[in-house]
Amino acid sequence: MRLSRYFMPILKENPKEAEIVSHRLMLRTGMIRQQSQGIYSWLPLGKRVLDKVNAIIREEQNRSGAIELLMPTLQSAELWQESGRYDAYGKEMLRIKDRQDRPMLYGPTNEEMVTDIFRSYVKSYKDLPLNLYHIQLKFRDEIRPRFGTMRSREFMMKDAYSFDLTLEGAVHAYNKMFTAYLRTFNRLGLRAIPMRADTGPIGGKLSHEFIILADTGESEVFCHKDFVNFDIPGDDTNFDDVAGLKAIFDKWTSVYAATSEMHDEAAFNAIPEGERLSARGIEVGHIFYFGTKYSEPMGAKVQGPDGKEHPVHMGSYGIGPTRLVPAIIEASHDENGIIWPDSVAPFDVVVINMKAGDQACDEACETVYAALSKAGKDVLFDDRDERAGTKFATADLIGVPVQLIVGPRSIASGEVELKNRKTGARETMTVEAAIKRLA
Ligand code: ATP
Ligand code: MG
Ligand code: MG
Ligand code: MG
């Protein structure tokens, strides 16, 4: 992508309305734009990051055996009357009427709709287990939308729903998602801690929130310091291994971790003082097992091996991609801007032409830009007619992991400079060596 032809509306000044660093940086770099309160457009740079986050979420959901579909944003109120949640959900639900005066709503979550899909097709235990997920916009009319897309009214969610014949099956489904979440957040460059949680309006019995520690987080959390050193399940994790996944769950729930709603002061104080962590956190994911709460009233039953009909045991599993993007920035930035982890960076490398119009510089830039693009890299080429200082500042601000700098003096001896955004380390090498390193 040539920056001169791209759409990346960088702001010169820090936007006044932004209270936290991620919101400030997302506005300054032109990643997002507020369209009305708590409702955002994702501009091209932001969209790239969001797509990369979603790709990792999708890969890990698929790896665990979940199957992707896509349900609509608008739902009929009837389904929610069946489950009894239409009245219970309250003011966070945006209720609409269509031209025939039928009550509709913008889905805040999808338990009812997915249960309806399930009951329409699945009749036998032989078709279980099943886990269906989608990545779709949700709407919750939050009383206090704030911090940009961290708490917006319209937001994206990956929501998965599991169906099992028995409690034991449902617990294994829960452990699959638990493990997939550990892997997902790790690949996004985050350390998320699973914490015992309240189940809220989703209802149910077993529940964990995945929390990123951050000073600007809205939740008050308490946990053991050991979490920092726990191993993340590897690529070779076998999601069909019931005992293996239970061992991962047991390990990651073996020491104290709770949000303020579930906090047990006495249990926390039993931990030696130096090993206690009392902090603020951002909820980036939440998993629930809720048994037959929806399958019972909505008649989602399958025939068991005993020939009888059984309501299925269900769980639901959410991740907030549009909250994760600012959460990653909260965890990874400095005074000059964002520092993207490689896995979600909008571009892999930015090529900086220090002197656009200089023949040697222009030629070298075109060469590396073509070679790296051909190698499948996402390359941003800063070909603008701007001062070098402005280009360096832009590159630091938008946080691309590697800067490839082409200047008139070094190119005279066939050399360019590589700068690592995170460490600031610089290396000089030939054009060929730089291409070889980055391709
Ligand atoms: P919160 O406690 O922050 O209000 P929640 O507990 O209501 O979140 P869940 O119903 O558990 O949210 O939804 C699953 C995930 O969706 C959350 O863990 C979060 O990542 C994301 N999410 C929920 N509400 C919002 C929102 N208003 N803006 C952005 N992401 C959200
Ligand atoms: Mg909420
Ligand atoms: Mg919550
Ligand atoms: Mg929650």
Side-chain angles (χ1 to χ4, degrees):
M1 181 60 63
R2 288 171 199 272
L3 189 44
S4 63
R5 299 182 198 170
Y6 197 41
F7 181 65
M8 192 171 78
I10 286 187
L11 304 182
K12 289 224 168 62
E13 304 289 323
N14 266 326
K16 284 189 193 65
E17 70 267 32
E19 296 168 65
I20 62 172
V21 67
S22 57
H23 188 195
R24 202 153 55 230
L25 287 170
M26 286 177 79
L27 291 172
R28 272 209 60 192
T29 55
M31 290 177 66
I32 54 168
R33 171 176 173 76
Q34 179 167 278
Q35 302 296 157
S36 39
Q37 195 194 28
I39 300 179
Y40 289 85
S41 289
W42 285 75
L43 304 182
L45 189 72
K47 174 71 163 48
R48 277 181 171 265
V49 178
L50 185 59
D51 284 348
K52 294 211 170 175
V53 167
N54 283 336
I56 290 174
I57 293 172
R58 186 173 277 125
E59 269 177 42
E60 294 301 328
Q61 290 292 294
N62 295 348
R63 187 198 297 273
S64 80
I67 304 167
E68 187 171 12
L69 45 54
L70 183 61
M71 293 177 267
T73 53
L74 293 181
Q75 307 188 18
S76 154
E78 264 170 47
L79 276 178
W80 289 67
Q81 282 152 353
E82 274 191 62
S83 72
R85 273 208 294 185
Y86 189 60
D87 295 323
Y89 212 93
K91 291 202 166 205
E92 263 193 20
M93 181 187 278
L94 180 65
R95 297 156 206 259
I96 323 161
K97 279 200 172 141
D98 69 9
R99 67 197 295 168
Q100 273 100 28
D101 228 25
R102 278 189 293 249
M104 310 279 294
L105 57 99
Y106 193 136
T109 177
N110 279 58
E111 279 81 7
E112 283 79 358
M113 187 173 278
V114 79
T115 303
D116 176 61
I117 292 173
F118 179 88
R119 70 180 172 188
S120 305
Y121 301 104
V122 184
K123 305 291 179 197
S124 163
Y125 76 95
K126 290 179 188 154
D127 296 323
L128 300 183
L130 186 63
N131 185 324
L132 299 174
Y133 78 95
H134 70 161
I135 301 178
Q136 176 62 292
L137 294 171
K138 305 283 180 287
F139 194 94
R140 295 182 185 174
D141 205 348
E142 300 276 353
I143 192 160
R144 238 189 121 196
R146 58 179 185 157
F147 301 158
T149 64
M150 188 79 90
R151 177 171 302 283
S152 50
R153 297 198 297 165
E154 189 184 55
F155 61 95
M156 201 169 269
M157 202 198 289
K158 182 288 300 178
D159 38 327
Y161 303 88
S162 66
F163 304 88
D164 284 271
L165 178 66
T166 62
L167 168 63
E168 297 73 57
V171 168
H172 180 53
Y174 189 90
N175 291 343
K176 281 187 192 173
M177 282 293 124
F178 188 95
T179 304
Y181 277 33
L182 293 176
R183 288 185 46 79
T184 303
F185 297 127
N186 184 59
R187 286 186 60 191
L188 297 173
L190 296 168
R191 173 127 310 218
I193 301 176
M195 304 200 177
R196 277 305 293 261
D198 199 10
T199 49
I202 309 281
K205 300 164 182 170
L206 177 59
S207 176
H208 286 86
E209 283 175 0
F210 287 75
I211 305 270
I212 308 285
L213 301 182
D215 294 339
T216 47
E218 292 184 289
S219 316
E220 200 184 355
V221 300
F222 305 87
C223 71
H224 199 290
K225 280 203 169 130
D226 276 2
F227 274 112
V228 182
N229 303 316
F230 282 178
D231 288 336
I232 302 294
D235 289 349
D236 55 351
T237 303
N238 176 1
F239 283 85
D240 293 326
D241 177 0
V242 175
L245 292 198
K246 181 173 184 302
I248 292 170
F249 176 84
D250 287 346
K251 170 78 185 170
W252 279 84
T253 53
S254 61
V255 293
Y256 189 84
T259 59
S260 55
E261 292 94 12
M262 298 293 278
H263 185 46
D264 174 351
E265 196 72 38
F268 186 60
N269 288 337
I271 304 170
E273 190 158 7
E275 293 161 36
R276 284 181 221 156
L277 206 62
S278 155
R280 308 215 45 100
I282 301 169
E283 178 192 330
V284 288
H286 197 165
I287 60 177
F288 303 84
Y289 161 68
F290 46 75
T292 59
K293 182 174 156 74
Y294 301 95
S295 56
E296 195 104 56
M298 295 186 66
K301 296 180 197 140
V302 295
Q303 191 173 53
D306 56 2
K308 293 191 188 122
E309 288 207 313
H310 303 269
V312 285
H313 288 256
M314 292 176 59
S316 72
Y317 315 89
I319 292 184
T322 50
R323 177 177 288 181
L324 272 166
V325 174
I328 293 166
I329 297 173
E330 289 293 324
S332 185
H333 66 269
D334 64 13
E335 64 282 3
N336 297 323
I338 302 169
I339 303 173
W340 292 114
D342 293 355
S343 60
V344 298
F347 296 97
D348 300 314
V349 50
V350 51
V351 175
I352 298 175
N353 189 350
M354 285 176 68
K355 199 161 185 211
D358 175 281
Q359 198 187 345
C361 284
D362 290 353
E363 275 174 21
C365 285
E366 293 292 347
T367 303
V368 291
Y369 178 54
L372 294 177
S373 301
K374 195 169 166 219
K377 297 289 153 187
D378 284 331
V379 189
L380 180 65
F381 173 16
D382 194 343
D383 60 340
R384 294 174 301 171
D385 187 16
E386 292 278 359
R387 289 183 307 114
T390 305
K391 295 187 181 185
F392 295 143
T394 299
D396 279 352
L397 181 69
I398 65 174
V400 175
V402 181
Q403 300 171 11
L404 192 160
I405 302 160
V406 180
R409 208 171 316 147
S410 47
I411 205 64
S413 48
E415 288 184 326
V416 296
E417 195 178 28
L418 290 192
K419 179 185 156 191
N420 181 305
R421 169 66 180 92
K422 186 171 177 181
T423 64
R426 292 167 183 274
E427 267 181 275
T428 302
M429 62 186 75
T430 64
V431 172
E432 294 69 36
I435 291 171
K436 206 167 162 211
R437 171 81 67 87
L438 299 175

mmCIF file of all heavy atoms in Angstrom, residues 140 142 149-152 155 157 202 209 283-286 288 318-320 322-323, ligand 1:
data_model
loop_
_atom_site.group_PDB
_atom_site.id
_atom_site.type_symbol
_atom_site.label_atom_id
_atom_site.label_comp_id
_atom_site.label_asym_id
_atom_site.label_seq_id
_atom_site.Cartn_x
_atom_site.Cartn_y
_atom_site.Cartn_z
ATOM 1 N N ARG A 140 -25.951 -3.222 22.447
ATOM 2 C CA ARG A 140 -26.428 -3.077 23.827
ATOM 3 C C ARG A 140 -26.449 -1.590 24.121
ATOM 4 O O ARG A 140 -25.423 -0.921 23.986
ATOM 5 C CB ARG A 140 -25.515 -3.812 24.813
ATOM 6 C CG ARG A 140 -25.531 -5.316 24.596
ATOM 7 C CD ARG A 140 -24.669 -6.047 25.607
ATOM 8 N NE ARG A 140 -24.613 -7.470 25.287
ATOM 9 C CZ ARG A 140 -23.849 -8.350 25.915
ATOM 10 N NH1 ARG A 140 -23.076 -7.967 26.913
ATOM 11 N NH2 ARG A 140 -23.871 -9.614 25.562
ATOM 12 N N GLU A 142 -25.803 0.589 26.181
ATOM 13 C CA GLU A 142 -25.057 0.791 27.418
ATOM 14 C C GLU A 142 -25.420 2.136 28.040
ATOM 15 O O GLU A 142 -25.526 3.142 27.339
ATOM 16 C CB GLU A 142 -23.548 0.777 27.123
ATOM 17 C CG GLU A 142 -23.017 -0.511 26.517
ATOM 18 C CD GLU A 142 -22.700 -1.569 27.566
ATOM 19 O OE1 GLU A 142 -22.768 -1.273 28.779
ATOM 20 O OE2 GLU A 142 -22.401 -2.708 27.154
ATOM 21 N N THR A 149 -14.073 2.098 21.401
ATOM 22 C CA THR A 149 -14.704 0.799 21.151
ATOM 23 C C THR A 149 -14.525 -0.173 22.324
ATOM 24 O O THR A 149 -14.945 -1.318 22.249
ATOM 25 C CB THR A 149 -14.138 0.151 19.870
ATOM 26 O OG1 THR A 149 -12.749 -0.120 20.063
ATOM 27 C CG2 THR A 149 -14.329 1.062 18.674
ATOM 28 N N MET A 150 -13.902 0.302 23.376
ATOM 29 C CA MET A 150 -13.753 -0.536 24.582
ATOM 30 C C MET A 150 -15.128 -0.833 25.190
ATOM 31 O O MET A 150 -15.399 -1.951 25.624
ATOM 32 C CB MET A 150 -12.891 0.229 25.593
ATOM 33 C CG MET A 150 -12.480 -0.558 26.793
ATOM 34 S SD MET A 150 -11.110 -1.646 26.449
ATOM 35 C CE MET A 150 -9.706 -0.607 26.814
ATOM 36 N N ARG A 151 -15.962 0.174 25.281
ATOM 37 C CA ARG A 151 -17.349 -0.017 25.710
ATOM 38 C C ARG A 151 -18.239 0.807 24.779
ATOM 39 O O ARG A 151 -18.497 1.972 25.018
ATOM 40 C CB ARG A 151 -17.568 0.393 27.165
ATOM 41 C CG ARG A 151 -19.046 0.265 27.601
ATOM 42 C CD ARG A 151 -19.268 0.459 29.073
ATOM 43 N NE ARG A 151 -18.500 -0.482 29.858
ATOM 44 C CZ ARG A 151 -18.831 -1.772 30.021
ATOM 45 N NH1 ARG A 151 -19.930 -2.250 29.492
ATOM 46 N NH2 ARG A 151 -18.070 -2.564 30.731
ATOM 47 N N SER A 152 -18.648 0.181 23.699
ATOM 48 C CA SER A 152 -19.489 0.888 22.738
ATOM 49 C C SER A 152 -20.896 0.293 22.802
ATOM 50 O O SER A 152 -21.135 -0.670 23.523
ATOM 51 C CB SER A 152 -18.889 0.758 21.340
ATOM 52 O OG SER A 152 -18.589 -0.588 21.053
ATOM 53 N N PHE A 155 -21.095 -3.265 18.943
ATOM 54 C CA PHE A 155 -19.750 -3.849 19.039
ATOM 55 C C PHE A 155 -19.763 -5.233 18.414
ATOM 56 O O PHE A 155 -20.825 -5.799 18.156
ATOM 57 C CB PHE A 155 -19.285 -3.916 20.504
ATOM 58 C CG PHE A 155 -20.155 -4.765 21.400
ATOM 59 C CD1 PHE A 155 -19.831 -6.094 21.651
ATOM 60 C CD2 PHE A 155 -21.295 -4.243 21.988
ATOM 61 C CE1 PHE A 155 -20.626 -6.884 22.483
ATOM 62 C CE2 PHE A 155 -22.105 -5.027 22.814
ATOM 63 C CZ PHE A 155 -21.770 -6.348 23.059
ATOM 64 N N MET A 157 -18.878 -9.260 18.427
ATOM 65 C CA MET A 157 -18.629 -10.361 19.364
ATOM 66 C C MET A 157 -18.428 -11.640 18.574
ATOM 67 O O MET A 157 -19.099 -11.860 17.568
ATOM 68 C CB MET A 157 -19.801 -10.540 20.329
ATOM 69 C CG MET A 157 -19.418 -11.268 21.619
ATOM 70 S SD MET A 157 -20.802 -11.946 22.551
ATOM 71 C CE MET A 157 -21.587 -10.493 23.185
ATOM 72 N N ILE A 202 -27.183 -13.825 31.389
ATOM 73 C CA ILE A 202 -27.102 -15.057 30.587
ATOM 74 C C ILE A 202 -27.580 -16.229 31.465
ATOM 75 O O ILE A 202 -28.165 -17.184 30.996
ATOM 76 C CB ILE A 202 -25.657 -15.330 30.087
ATOM 77 C CG1 ILE A 202 -25.056 -14.109 29.407
ATOM 78 C CG2 ILE A 202 -25.586 -16.566 29.196
ATOM 79 C CD1 ILE A 202 -25.472 -13.833 27.990
ATOM 80 N N GLU A 209 -14.579 -15.320 33.515
ATOM 81 C CA GLU A 209 -14.252 -14.162 32.682
ATOM 82 C C GLU A 209 -12.757 -14.206 32.404
ATOM 83 O O GLU A 209 -11.979 -14.583 33.287
ATOM 84 C CB GLU A 209 -14.549 -12.863 33.446
ATOM 85 C CG GLU A 209 -16.009 -12.518 33.496
ATOM 86 C CD GLU A 209 -16.287 -11.289 34.362
ATOM 87 O OE1 GLU A 209 -15.343 -10.703 34.918
ATOM 88 O OE2 GLU A 209 -17.463 -10.939 34.494
ATOM 89 N N GLU A 283 -12.321 -6.993 30.868
ATOM 90 C CA GLU A 283 -12.942 -8.271 30.497
ATOM 91 C C GLU A 283 -12.920 -8.384 28.968
ATOM 92 O O GLU A 283 -13.605 -7.644 28.277
ATOM 93 C CB GLU A 283 -14.388 -8.315 31.013
ATOM 94 C CG GLU A 283 -15.102 -9.590 30.609
ATOM 95 C CD GLU A 283 -16.618 -9.540 30.853
ATOM 96 O OE1 GLU A 283 -17.076 -8.857 31.787
ATOM 97 O OE2 GLU A 283 -17.333 -10.207 30.074
ATOM 98 N N VAL A 284 -12.151 -9.364 28.453
ATOM 99 C CA VAL A 284 -12.089 -9.535 26.997
ATOM 100 C C VAL A 284 -12.831 -10.785 26.525
ATOM 101 O O VAL A 284 -13.077 -10.958 25.332
ATOM 102 C CB VAL A 284 -10.635 -9.555 26.477
ATOM 103 C CG1 VAL A 284 -10.020 -8.164 26.554
ATOM 104 C CG2 VAL A 284 -9.785 -10.560 27.234
ATOM 105 N N GLY A 285 -13.159 -11.674 27.454
ATOM 106 C CA GLY A 285 -13.915 -12.870 27.083
ATOM 107 C C GLY A 285 -14.688 -13.382 28.277
ATOM 108 O O GLY A 285 -14.378 -13.034 29.428
ATOM 109 N N HIS A 286 -15.707 -14.175 27.989
ATOM 110 C CA HIS A 286 -16.547 -14.669 29.087
ATOM 111 C C HIS A 286 -17.191 -15.976 28.636
ATOM 112 O O HIS A 286 -17.782 -16.026 27.561
ATOM 113 C CB HIS A 286 -17.612 -13.624 29.420
ATOM 114 C CG HIS A 286 -18.249 -13.826 30.755
ATOM 115 N ND1 HIS A 286 -19.001 -12.848 31.369
ATOM 116 C CD2 HIS A 286 -18.261 -14.887 31.588
ATOM 117 C CE1 HIS A 286 -19.437 -13.301 32.538
ATOM 118 N NE2 HIS A 286 -19.011 -14.546 32.687
ATOM 119 N N PHE A 288 -19.671 -19.439 29.710
ATOM 120 C CA PHE A 288 -20.729 -19.870 30.635
ATOM 121 C C PHE A 288 -21.140 -21.306 30.325
ATOM 122 O O PHE A 288 -21.258 -21.689 29.163
ATOM 123 C CB PHE A 288 -22.030 -19.081 30.399
ATOM 124 C CG PHE A 288 -21.944 -17.606 30.500
ATOM 125 C CD1 PHE A 288 -21.539 -16.836 29.414
ATOM 126 C CD2 PHE A 288 -22.313 -16.950 31.668
ATOM 127 C CE1 PHE A 288 -21.506 -15.453 29.487
ATOM 128 C CE2 PHE A 288 -22.291 -15.572 31.747
ATOM 129 C CZ PHE A 288 -21.882 -14.824 30.664
ATOM 130 N N GLY A 318 -18.221 -15.973 24.784
ATOM 131 C CA GLY A 318 -18.046 -14.713 24.057
ATOM 132 C C GLY A 318 -16.630 -14.173 24.108
ATOM 133 O O GLY A 318 -15.918 -14.348 25.103
ATOM 134 N N ILE A 319 -16.246 -13.525 23.011
ATOM 135 C CA ILE A 319 -15.006 -12.726 22.972
ATOM 136 C C ILE A 319 -15.370 -11.424 22.275
ATOM 137 O O ILE A 319 -16.146 -11.428 21.313
ATOM 138 C CB ILE A 319 -13.880 -13.415 22.158
ATOM 139 C CG1 ILE A 319 -13.381 -14.677 22.857
ATOM 140 C CG2 ILE A 319 -12.708 -12.455 21.941
ATOM 141 C CD1 ILE A 319 -12.200 -15.351 22.151
ATOM 142 N N GLY A 320 -14.792 -10.312 22.730
ATOM 143 C CA GLY A 320 -15.092 -9.023 22.122
ATOM 144 C C GLY A 320 -13.947 -8.496 21.265
ATOM 145 O O GLY A 320 -13.067 -7.802 21.775
ATOM 146 N N THR A 322 -13.815 -6.041 19.078
ATOM 147 C CA THR A 322 -13.705 -4.576 19.021
ATOM 148 C C THR A 322 -13.272 -3.994 20.368
ATOM 149 O O THR A 322 -12.895 -2.830 20.446
ATOM 150 C CB THR A 322 -15.019 -3.928 18.542
ATOM 151 O OG1 THR A 322 -16.121 -4.449 19.312
ATOM 152 C CG2 THR A 322 -15.266 -4.207 17.063
ATOM 153 N N ARG A 323 -13.336 -4.797 21.440
ATOM 154 C CA ARG A 323 -12.738 -4.386 22.719
ATOM 155 C C ARG A 323 -11.278 -4.837 22.787
ATOM 156 O O ARG A 323 -10.444 -4.175 23.415
ATOM 157 C CB ARG A 323 -13.520 -4.985 23.893
ATOM 158 C CG ARG A 323 -12.911 -4.645 25.249
ATOM 159 C CD ARG A 323 -13.738 -5.178 26.396
ATOM 160 N NE ARG A 323 -14.983 -4.434 26.549
ATOM 161 C CZ ARG A 323 -15.889 -4.693 27.494
ATOM 162 N NH1 ARG A 323 -15.682 -5.671 28.352
ATOM 163 N NH2 ARG A 323 -17.000 -3.981 27.571
HETATM 164 P P1 ATP B 1 -19.155 -5.841 30.555
HETATM 165 O O1 ATP B 1 -19.050 -6.449 31.924
HETATM 166 O O2 ATP B 1 -17.896 -5.174 30.118
HETATM 167 O O3 ATP B 1 -20.380 -4.993 30.380
HETATM 168 P P2 ATP B 1 -20.511 -8.156 29.686
HETATM 169 O O4 ATP B 1 -20.165 -9.036 30.836
HETATM 170 O O5 ATP B 1 -21.806 -7.469 29.698
HETATM 171 O O6 ATP B 1 -19.329 -7.067 29.513
HETATM 172 P P3 ATP B 1 -20.709 -10.466 27.956
HETATM 173 O O7 ATP B 1 -22.182 -10.588 27.884
HETATM 174 O O8 ATP B 1 -19.980 -11.389 28.862
HETATM 175 O O9 ATP B 1 -20.312 -8.935 28.308
HETATM 176 O O10 ATP B 1 -20.150 -10.486 26.453
HETATM 177 C C1 ATP B 1 -18.995 -11.171 25.998
HETATM 178 C C2 ATP B 1 -17.879 -10.222 25.593
HETATM 179 O O11 ATP B 1 -18.332 -9.194 24.700
HETATM 180 C C3 ATP B 1 -17.268 -9.453 26.745
HETATM 181 O O12 ATP B 1 -16.361 -10.250 27.470
HETATM 182 C C4 ATP B 1 -16.592 -8.303 26.027
HETATM 183 O O13 ATP B 1 -15.342 -8.712 25.502
HETATM 184 C C5 ATP B 1 -17.543 -8.032 24.876
HETATM 185 N N1 ATP B 1 -18.412 -6.870 25.187
HETATM 186 C C6 ATP B 1 -19.507 -6.854 25.982
HETATM 187 N N2 ATP B 1 -20.066 -5.630 26.023
HETATM 188 C C7 ATP B 1 -19.299 -4.844 25.224
HETATM 189 C C8 ATP B 1 -19.365 -3.471 24.837
HETATM 190 N N3 ATP B 1 -20.324 -2.670 25.287
HETATM 191 N N4 ATP B 1 -18.420 -2.980 23.988
HETATM 192 C C9 ATP B 1 -17.440 -3.788 23.519
HETATM 193 N N5 ATP B 1 -17.321 -5.089 23.841
HETATM 194 C C10 ATP B 1 -18.235 -5.627 24.681
#
